[in-house]
Amino acid sequence: MLKKEIANALILQLNKEFQSAYIYLGMSAYASKIGLNGSSSWFLIQYQEEVAHAMKLFKYLEDQDVDITLPKIEKANVDFESILDTFKKALKHEIFMSANLNELSDLTMKNKDHATYNMLQWYVTEQVEEEATLNTIIDKIKLVGDNGYGLYAIDQELGARVFVDPTSN
Ligand code: OFO
């Protein structure tokens, strides 16, 4: 049985995971609009990953017999300055998510809720990987600058990403 404060915080995190998915869907739409289909596909896979993050939390809340509520999801942006700006905003968002997950971990530690703390460490580790991946993409895009062929090559590379359910391991 979860403490009310922890159950409510997890419901908020569930909402943020769905919000993240929606944010990436917007980024996918933008990339497609400017003709970067590989980047668009990369963001679409990121959308699927975030839905998987949300569903892992949903399942945990169900297993803990929490009365789940589903707060509303805010409008997502579909306009960015460039693909570099899009990936920079994605990184900024993931840093925000990491901070949220750290706060949540602190809360479970304070409440000696070991089960929830353990469950959250999966997310904390996942965040390190997500931030590192985005940093690498941003560095590559910065490296090619205004070189259209370079950007095309990066876009092709991003388009090769395939969806692997991150919660399946
Ligand atoms: Fe990429 O944020 Fe979920 O956890």
Side-chain angles (χ1 to χ4, degrees), residues 127-162:
Q127 285 306 119
V128 174
E129 195 187 307
E130 292 205 326
E131 284 185 32
T133 304
L134 284 165
N135 264 317
T136 304
I137 297 170
I138 289 167
D139 284 349
K140 283 185 186 174
I141 299 175
K142 278 185 181 163
L143 207 62
V144 300
D146 288 336
N147 181 318
Y149 182 74
L151 191 56
Y152 173 79
I154 292 172
D155 192 58
Q156 293 285 104
E157 196 188 310
L158 292 174
R161 183 185 187 189
V162 288

Side-chain angles (χ1 to χ4, degrees), residues 5-19 57 61 69 71 97 100 104:
E5 190 187 4
I6 292 182
N8 286 343
L10 291 179
I11 286 172
L12 263 184
Q13 185 63 30
L14 172 67
N15 176 267
K16 286 189 180 114
E17 297 294 346
F18 277 122
Q19 185 72 57
L57 262 182
L61 289 166
T69 55
M97 291 299 279
N100 283 314
L104 255 179

